[in-house]
Amino acid sequence: MAAEPLLQVRDVARRFGGIVALDGVSLDVPAGIVFGLIGPNGSGKTTLLNIITGFVRADRGTVSFDGRPIRGLPSYRIARLGLSRTFQSSRCPQRMTVMENMLLAAANQSGESLGAAILQFRRVRAEERANLERAREILATVNLAAKVDELAGNLSGGQKKLLSLAQALMSEPKLILLDEPVAGVNPILVQEIGSVIRSLCDAGRNFLIVEHNMSFIRATCDRVAVLDTGRLIAEGEPDEVLARENVLRAYLARPTAEAPA
Amino acid sequence: MTEFLIYLATTGGIAAMLALSLNLQYGLAGLVNLGQIAFFMIGGYVSAIIVMLGGQTIAIGILGGTVAAALFGILMALPTARLRQDYWAISTLAAAEIVRLFFLNTAFGSPYFGQAFGIDGIPQPYRRAFTEAGLTTSNYNLFYLGLVLVSLLAIFLILRWLAGTPFGRTLKAIREGDHVPLALGKKVSGFRLRAMAIGGAVGGFAGALFAHYNAFINPEYFVPIETFIIWAMVILGGAGNFLGAVVGTVIITTIYNSTRFIASFASQRDLELTPIIGFIFEPRVLGPLRMVLIGLMILLVILYLPRGLVPERRRRYGR
Amino acid sequence: MLQVVIDGLIRTAELSLIAVGLTMVYGILRFGNFAHVEFATLGSFLVLPLAALGIAFPLAALLAIVATGLVGVLLDRAIFRRLRSAPPEMLMIASFALGIMIRESVRAIWGPSPYLYQLGVLRPIRIGDFGRITPIQIGIIVAAAVAILVFHALLSRTRLGTAMRATADNAPLAQASGINTERIIATVWLIGAGFGALGGVLVGLNTQVKADTGFALIVEVFAATILGGIGNPYGALLGAAIIGFAESISLAINWSPLLTWLGFEVRGFVFIPTGYKTAIPFAILILTLLVRPQGILGARR
Ligand SMILES: Nc1ncnc2c1ncn2[C@@H]1O[C@H](COP(=O)(O)OP(=O)(O)O)[C@@H](O)[C@H]1O
Ligand SMILES: [Mg+2]
């Protein structure tokens, strides 16, 4: 195992008015594995992802990624460092087609600058062609190849989640954060998403996944951490952690959350 | 009648530029700019001032007006990152009114230059050459129509091309919210800034062309309702489609100027015979009624045809 | 100085009534209704035919206010209800179009010249040496104060008020707990448009009845609403007071000490030219949005 974890969260805290969303969370996400983050509804998982990716400011604590402190950087800068994320309610632009969504996601496009779009159109065109090829490959791995010209708004809920994942992959990130990638997805597609993530991990991609679906977590993650009311209460191998009594209690204490199955 | 049609086509062509500019801002980038008319005003005033008070050529005046409006666009874009969409929209309306109040209350040099009086005697490009060659005003108006249409075509092609570049694609993503583009590493504020700068430049250019065509401008020309008419053009034509903006301009310009057509159709006696129709066709009634009609059309389009007459096209990549 | 206070109070009365309606509709439907100010125009004009029938002015005004409230409900049913799931910018544009339709219909029906309410001649009352106030102006301030107090009682003391606040807070939750949200929405339109109409009648009383009454106030009303935190009726009152007094005070102030202090060379008194009066609320709006985008009473997001 590498000496330095890929993502390091230290003592991060955040309140919203009277609500303590995160209360001193520290977490190390090493490279080379699929890391799961679970916890009942409202335990602060999304808030933690938002803080890591610069969408929400932390009240205190530090976050570093790939050896660099990133707390306080604007979110687009954090993304450019190789930290890509999806959103819990998948929000990829609905009035753009699947392929437009994918091309949008490519990093370092010179055609985004007006000067280059006008003066270096050859280079821009070559980039577009290369990105198009890569997008087709990624869409094939997530089984969306047949949908390239479909508007994202017309996809099913599961397909939207897959598109978000594919978008995240398109930017060639060092770490991918997924917020509930299989919530509301039919069981067959859940398995499929799980195996896509596993094979991507074996191919060298790193993941931090927030999820509720316990069988998905067991099948996909190498390691899990458990959040409860803003604190980490357990961390370790999925089977062992999910059997711990305090983890069970955290889930059972909330009638709304599904208990680990 | 032909004279009037040429006038209509020229001002319509200029309005189409404003619609294209708004389509870039709203149709592509989702920016609800309710102060579009300010670009037009700044372009016209700055160009006229540069030429008449600065003694520069008309070309430099038009360039100055274009740049000034682009800078104003950048200024308007600055708070977008921190403001909610509806707050920003109302502040664009306020910003445009501040610009108008500025020109309404400022005299440049003499009391007859600026303020409520406006600016009169704005020079027209190549006008003297036409007179010296013994050509008529009609000839000149035809020439100006050509100038406007060529400029319009150029703006149309450039903006449509821009929409297809990675730059335009990112704007389309931004119109549906900041989160996804930010998470994909796009500096959203920078994109909005550039969209507003380009929109401002096109609007300012149109304003300068108008000032040098009409030879007279006045703060009354730039009231908020004018912005709404441009909106009507874009919504009716189909937001996100540049051809739609032009189609919308043609339809709205026709309705807007229909008063004069109708007046020449119906004879006075017809109007006196039927009291209701006579009432409707009274100019003081007809003027407001055409605005009601435009408003109604927009509502119907939003309710029943939300993508407009010429819907946005998707680029196809399927093999 | 007293005159400044009287002017400020009257402006506050007019603005707050219109702003309260705007902010209430926003609180529930989450869009800035650009047509809202036209309820003021419509209300002020509907008084005219009623008064022409010989109905006493207060009753005519009340009927006009109720009628305008019903128009608000009707417009929601016909237009905004069909757009509940549309993106907010579509609602904004639809309301802008609707506003123009109302305003221009008024202009088509009543013509371009302004009207005056026929109330007979009432002598202004002198207050000391410094100010004068007409009985009409006293009536304006009293009417607005009464309306606001009734509104406050409604919001805080009745079940309807509780249901309205619950719906504004979280519509799906309110519906789940048995509140008929569509009925609440209709009530909010009724009250909001009615208050707007009252505001318009007051403007008409103070000055003239004009087709532009509402639209001329649009930035002031939005500024008041945003200043107080959009969706918050009490905030709208505060915002209206700030805008109302800022207009009259900033014109009455001699700015030369400030300019001298800032290092400018100043001779004599410096007043803001009255031509810029209308620019004052616009500038306040923009400054507020730059400094505190969520408004004064709005919660930080
Ligand atoms: N923007 C916000 N404003 C106010 N409260 C928030 C905000 N975001 C999250 N919260 C609160 O913080 C707590 C944690 O929320 P969240 O991180 O979304 O939990 P999870 O993703 O684990 O379900 C919840 O109580 C939630 O209501
Ligand atoms: Mg969550």
Side-chain angles (χ1 to χ4, degrees):
Chain A
M1 208 175 181
E4 180 115 347
L6 187 55
L7 176 73
Q8 194 174 52
V9 176
R10 282 289 168 276
D11 194 31
V12 162
R14 168 77 208 207
R15 335 167 43 114
F16 292 104
I19 300 168
V20 180
L22 291 174
D23 187 12
V25 170
S26 299
L27 191 69
D28 285 348
V29 179
I33 66 166
V34 179
F35 195 104
L37 180 63
I38 64 172
N41 272 327
S43 56
K45 308 178 296 291
T46 299
T47 304
L48 185 58
L49 287 201
N50 282 340
I51 286 174
I52 293 170
T53 50
F55 283 90
V56 164
R57 233 179 265 169
D59 294 336
R60 63 158 207 267
T62 59
V63 180
S64 44
F65 176 66
D66 210 12
R68 260 191 78 156
I70 57 170
R71 190 188 144 191
L73 288 185
S75 41
Y76 71 92
R77 295 269 302 276
I78 295 176
R80 288 180 191 174
L81 293 174
L83 219 165
S84 192
R85 72 167 290 180
T86 65
F87 294 91
Q88 187 170 342
S89 52
S90 107
R91 304 195 231 191
C92 39
Q94 313 283 297
R95 284 153 67 199
M96 293 169 76
T97 65
V98 167
M99 184 50 90
E100 283 178 317
N101 265 285
M102 291 300 285
L103 293 173
L104 170 75
N108 301 320
Q109 300 186 46
S110 42
E112 285 177 3
S113 115
L114 279 175
I118 295 163
L119 300 174
Q120 308 177 299
F121 58 92
R122 259 170 225 285
R123 181 168 141 204
V124 171
R125 210 161 48 188
E127 272 179 25
E128 284 281 285
R129 227 175 285 136
N131 286 337
L132 200 61
E133 280 319 303
R134 214 154 49 78
R136 284 191 206 282
E137 282 165 26
I138 295 173
L139 287 175
T141 61
V142 300
N143 287 331
L144 282 176
K147 300 276 182 190
V148 279
D149 289 329
E150 193 59 69
L151 289 180
N154 295 342
L155 297 178
S156 74
Q159 287 170 331
K160 283 181 186 165
K161 299 259 179 194
L162 282 171
L163 178 57
S164 297
L165 173 61
Q167 264 187 320
L169 291 169
M170 188 70 193
S171 58
E172 306 220 290
K174 297 188 187 123
L175 175 63
I176 301 174
L177 312 183
L178 302 175
D179 199 351
E180 307 206 4
V182 298
V185 175
N186 75 60
I188 299 170
L189 204 50
V190 169
Q191 281 200 358
E192 212 176 287
I193 294 176
S195 56
V196 167
I197 291 173
R198 272 312 332 167
S199 58
L200 286 166
C201 175
D202 295 338
R205 296 255 171 261
N206 307 300
F207 289 92
L208 170 60
I209 301 179
V210 166
E211 196 31 77
H212 270 310
N213 184 323
M214 293 304 156
S215 53
F216 174 84
I217 292 281
R218 279 208 176 88
T220 318
C221 297
D222 302 295
R223 201 172 170 80
V224 294
V226 186
L227 260 182
D228 181 32
T229 55
R231 289 164 183 272
L232 271 190
I233 57 166
E235 193 187 327
E237 303 268 311
D239 286 322
E240 184 259 325
V241 166
L242 293 182
R244 282 194 210 169
E245 204 189 326
N246 60 345
V247 174
L248 285 169
R249 223 180 311 117
Y251 269 87
L252 291 175
R254 270 168 202 75
T256 51
E258 41 179 304
Chain B
M1 195 66 186
T2 5
E3 275 302 302
F4 179 60
L5 285 179
I6 289 174
Y7 169 80
L8 210 59
T10 310
T11 49
I14 292 172
M17 295 176 196
L18 284 172
L20 290 175
S21 153
L22 185 64
N23 189 47
L24 172 78
Q25 298 166 62
Y26 172 68
L28 235 53
L31 291 159
V32 180
N33 179 3
L34 299 181
Q36 173 74 351
I37 202 65
F39 295 147
F40 196 60
M41 185 172 202
I42 291 174
Y45 266 84
V46 170
S47 185
I49 290 169
I50 288 177
V51 173
M52 297 171 74
L53 296 183
Q56 303 293 322
T57 63
I58 293 177
I60 289 182
I62 293 178
L63 184 69
T66 306
V67 170
L71 290 176
F72 188 69
I74 290 174
L75 195 69
M76 273 163 97
L78 287 178
T80 48
R82 304 184 52 216
L83 280 191
R84 296 174 12 189
Q85 203 186 24
D86 42 359
Y87 288 14
W88 187 74
I90 187 73
S91 37
T92 57
L93 181 66
E97 278 291 275
I98 289 178
V99 168
R100 195 172 69 87
L101 286 168
F102 170 76
F103 285 116
L104 182 62
N105 286 291
T106 310
F108 301 91
S110 93
Y112 299 109
F113 198 102
Q115 290 190 334
F117 186 78
I119 302 180
D120 203 357
I122 303 169
Q124 298 182 307
Y126 303 113
R127 186 68 210 234
R128 180 141 13 102
F130 270 77
T131 321
E132 281 167 4
L135 294 166
T136 62
T137 301
S138 318
N139 294 136
Y140 183 78
N141 287 343
L142 218 52
F143 153 77
Y144 212 96
L145 175 62
L147 184 71
V148 166
L149 291 184
V150 169
S151 311
L152 177 64
L153 183 68
I155 291 170
F156 173 78
L157 291 176
I158 291 172
L159 292 184
R160 206 184 56 170
W161 166 78
L162 208 56
T165 62
F167 172 75
R169 187 165 56 217
T170 307
L171 290 186
K172 274 169 77 177
I174 289 170
R175 79 183 166 189
E176 293 187 55
D178 291 7
H179 284 81
V180 169
L182 281 173
L184 293 172
K186 318 293 177 195
K187 189 180 179 190
V188 169
S189 55
F191 280 91
R192 288 220 180 92
L193 208 82
R194 286 180 277 165
M196 287 301 288
I198 301 169
V202 173
F205 177 75
L209 273 192
F210 175 74
H212 291 287
Y213 172 65
N214 206 48
F216 170 64
I217 48 175
N218 174 294
E220 282 295 302
Y221 288 2
F222 308 96
V223 289
I225 195 129
E226 300 295 331
T227 295
F228 174 73
I229 291 171
I230 307 162
W231 269 95
M233 294 167 179
V234 172
I235 298 286
L236 178 66
N241 188 312
F242 287 98
L243 189 61
V246 176
V247 171
T249 308
V250 171
I251 297 175
I252 297 288
T253 308
T254 310
I255 295 178
Y256 197 62
N257 292 285
S258 56
T259 346
R260 310 189 208 194
F261 294 115
I262 292 169
S264 60
F265 284 141
S267 77
Q268 193 57 39
R269 206 164 57 85
D270 291 344
L271 297 184
E272 278 160 10
L273 284 178
T274 42
I276 293 184
I277 299 198
F279 172 74
I280 290 175
F281 281 75
E282 258 180 65
R284 71 173 188 102
V285 177
L286 199 57
L289 273 188
R290 62 189 178 163
M291 290 309 301
V292 176
L293 183 65
I294 292 176
L296 181 66
M297 257 168 53
I298 296 315
L299 277 183
L300 292 178
V301 167
I302 289 176
L303 286 175
Y304 299 107
L305 198 70
R307 298 170 63 219
L309 292 175
V310 193
E312 184 175 338
R313 288 176 47 167
R314 343 178 175 167
R315 183 135 154 204
R316 304 207 170 258
Y317 292 92
R319 282 193 270 218
Chain C
M1 202 61 220
L2 197 59
Q3 199 59 47
V4 171
V5 175
I6 292 170
D7 291 348
L9 266 180
I10 289 170
R11 198 67 173 160
T12 304
E14 296 164 354
L15 288 179
S16 58
L17 289 169
I18 308 176
V20 160
L22 176 68
T23 215
M24 274 167 56
V25 170
Y26 183 92
I28 289 193
L29 297 180
R30 311 271 154 193
F31 79 97
N33 178 13
F34 287 91
H36 183 79
V37 287
E38 307 303 340
F39 293 137
T41 311
L42 187 61
S44 68
F45 271 91
L46 286 180
V47 175
L48 296 171
L50 294 168
L53 289 175
I55 301 174
F57 182 82
L59 185 60
L62 191 67
L63 290 174
I65 288 164
V66 173
T68 309
L70 292 176
V71 169
V73 177
L74 218 75
L75 291 175
D76 178 57
R77 285 287 142 101
I79 299 165
F80 297 111
R81 195 176 184 170
R82 296 159 191 258
L83 294 172
R84 293 272 192 269
S85 55
E89 80 266 11
M90 270 295 162
L91 284 155
M92 272 158 61
I93 297 160
S95 69
F96 207 82
L98 178 66
I100 285 183
M101 285 179 68
I102 298 176
R103 175 162 19 114
E104 298 298 325
S105 301
V106 165
R107 214 194 298 277
I109 296 170
W110 277 283
S113 350
Y115 291 78
L116 287 174
Y117 293 137
Q118 302 299 327
L119 293 173
V121 183
L122 298 164
R123 283 248 210 98
I125 302 164
R126 295 195 67 88
I127 306 171
D129 284 339
F130 299 102
R132 338 181 291 154
I133 188 163
T134 64
I136 289 180
Q137 289 174 326
I138 296 176
I140 290 171
I141 295 170
V142 171
V146 170
I148 294 294
L149 286 176
V150 169
F151 174 71
H152 168 67
L154 177 84
L155 209 58
S156 59
R157 298 282 158 82
T158 64
R159 288 190 54 178
L160 178 66
T162 315
M164 273 162 50
R165 278 181 294 145
T167 309
D169 219 38
N170 186 339
L173 187 66
Q175 189 151 33
S177 54
I179 294 172
N180 181 347
T181 46
E182 278 301 327
R183 229 184 67 204
I184 297 298
I185 290 174
T187 315
V188 165
W189 277 96
L190 182 77
I191 299 175
F195 268 65
L198 176 57
V201 171
L202 298 187
V203 175
L205 274 172
N206 193 32
T207 55
Q208 294 169 319
V209 182
K210 285 187 300 192
D212 281 332
T213 295
F215 195 69
L217 290 175
I218 191 165
V219 173
E220 275 100 324
V221 170
F222 265 90
T225 309
I226 294 173
L227 265 172
I230 201 159
N232 179 344
Y234 300 109
L237 296 182
L238 178 67
I242 294 174
I243 298 287
F245 278 93
E247 280 181 6
S248 46
I249 291 177
S250 51
L251 290 183
I253 284 183
N254 171 17
W255 293 90
S256 56
L258 178 67
L259 291 176
T260 317
W261 183 73
L262 286 173
F264 291 96
E265 229 171 82
V266 179
R267 256 184 229 119
F269 292 92
V270 176
F271 292 101
I272 296 179
T274 41
Y276 283 103
K277 179 180 173 191
T278 26
I280 291 165
F282 299 25
I284 294 178
L285 171 72
I286 290 175
L287 284 178
T288 311
L289 288 175
L290 290 178
V291 177
R292 201 175 154 83
Q294 72 276 30
I296 294 173
L297 297 184
R300 200 169 264 285
R301 275 160 203 270

